[in-house]
Amino acid sequence: SQQGEEDPQALSIQEGENATMNCSYKTSINNLQWYRQNSGRGLVHLILIRSNEREKHSGRLRVTLDTSKKSSSLLITASRAADTASYFCALEDAGNMLTFGGGTRLMVKP
Amino acid sequence: ETGVTQTPRHLVMGMTNKKSLKCEQHLGHNAMYWYKQSAKKPLELMFVYNFKEQTENNSVPSRFSPECPNSSHLFLHLHTLQPEDSALYLCASSQVEEQETQYFGPGTRLLVL
C-alpha cells in the first residue's frame, strides 16, 4: 500500500484567508479522501473524490484531483478559527484499503 | 458524534499490566479497523475485520491481540506493552461494499510507563 505525502506539513493563516493543502501519491488509486482531526480526537471524513472525478465541492471545501500528476489539493475558503485542525489525505487502492498521509497542521488565527 | 464509541478514553498502564480497549459502532457497518497514531508519524493501520473475519494484520507485535465477537464490537487486548506503544489508538468502521468513508471513534490515549 502507498502513503500520500502532504504539503505543507504546517500552515498558519489569518481568519478569512484561504488555506490550500496538497497531497501527492505514487501509484493508482480508486479514490482519495480528505479527513480532519482535532487535537487528540478521532478523524472526521470531509470529502471523497473518485479517480474519474477532477473537482468536488462541499460547502467551503474544494478538492481537486489530477491523476496525471498523481496529486490532489484541498482548498478551504474564508477560513475560520474553528478550522484549526490537522488535515489528512487518505488513498484507497484496488484492495479497498485506506492509507493515510502524515497530515497538514492548519492554524487559523482569529 | 460519529456513531463509533471507544472506551476508555485515557489509559495509563505499566509494562506488566493487561488491559483491553473497546470499540462499538452503532452504524450497522460490516468492517472495523484498529489504527495507531503516534506523535509525528502517519496513521498506521493495525488490524482489519470484515464480517468479523480478520483480513489484515500489518505485522503488529503479538502483544496486541484483537478480538471481534460480532460486527458491532471490536476489542484490542494489550499485554506486556513497551513505552514506545504509547499512542492514540483509533477505531473505525465502514460499509465494505460501498467503498466509502470510514467513521472514526474518538480514540483511546494510551500511556505505557
Side-chain angles (χ1 to χ4, degrees):
Chain A
S1 60
Q2 65 172 317
Q3 177 185 316
E5 291 186 16
E6 275 127 318
D7 168 60
Q9 290 187 342
L11 180 61
S12 181
I13 59 174
Q14 292 295 135
E15 208 165 26
E17 294 180 341
N18 295 342
T20 299
M21 290 158 262
N22 303 293
C23 174
S24 60
Y25 57 95
K26 291 186 169 59
T27 61
S28 62
I29 57 172
N30 278 356
N31 64 60
L32 186 147
Q33 304 180 31
W34 285 91
Y35 287 77
R36 166 197 165 123
Q37 183 181 34
N38 285 55
S39 180
R41 305 297 299 273
L43 280 72
V44 176
H45 179 258
L46 294 176
I47 198 163
L48 179 153
I49 186 163
R50 292 189 166 78
S51 58
N52 61 354
E53 297 175 314
R54 292 297 166 257
E55 188 171 312
K56 217 162 176 184
H57 297 255
S58 176
R60 293 184 295 112
L61 305 181
R62 173 177 168 249
V63 169
T64 61
L65 179 64
D66 187 333
T67 52
S68 65
K69 295 181 179 177
K70 292 186 168 54
S71 68
S72 173
S73 67
L74 170 66
L75 169 67
I76 304 174
T77 59
S79 64
R80 305 167 182 167
D83 294 329
T84 295
S86 291
Y87 293 82
F88 296 86
C89 69
L91 312 172
E92 181 173 322
D93 59 22
N96 299 128
M97 300 306 302
L98 277 187
T99 307
F100 288 81
T104 293
R105 294 187 309 280
L106 174 65
M107 165 77 75
V108 181
K109 301 175 196 172
Chain B
E1 183 63 47
T2 62
V4 181
T5 58
Q6 288 187 244
T7 55
R9 294 293 310 276
H10 300 272
L11 178 63
V12 180
M13 60 187 288
M15 289 190 283
T16 58
N17 292 158
K18 289 184 181 180
K19 297 286 183 184
S20 295
L21 310 185
K22 179 182 176 182
C23 176
E24 184 173 359
Q25 59 97 0
H26 312 273
L27 302 167
H29 288 162
N30 53 22
M32 296 186 77
Y33 311 80
W34 279 117
Y35 289 90
K36 175 183 178 182
Q37 188 177 36
S38 306
K40 300 185 180 178
K41 288 178 71 175
L43 206 62
E44 300 172 62
L45 179 65
M46 299 175 73
F47 300 104
V48 180
Y49 278 82
N50 284 347
F51 299 96
K52 301 187 298 177
E53 299 295 324
Q54 188 181 127
T55 58
E56 288 285 329
N57 175 341
N58 273 0
S59 304
V60 180
S62 59
R63 57 186 184 270
F64 295 92
S65 173
E67 178 191 0
C68 188
N70 56 61
S71 58
S72 299
H73 294 85
L74 185 65
F75 295 89
L76 188 62
H77 303 300
L78 317 171
H79 64 97
T80 58
L81 295 192
Q82 304 298 312
E84 60 264 29
D85 297 322
S86 299
L88 181 68
Y89 288 84
L90 293 164
C91 172
S93 71
S94 71
Q95 189 64 19
V96 173
E97 301 87 1
E98 294 178 357
Q99 190 204 42
E100 299 280 342
T101 307
Q102 291 187 15
Y103 292 79
F104 283 79
T108 294
R109 174 70 64 186
L110 173 68
L111 177 62
V112 181
L113 300 176

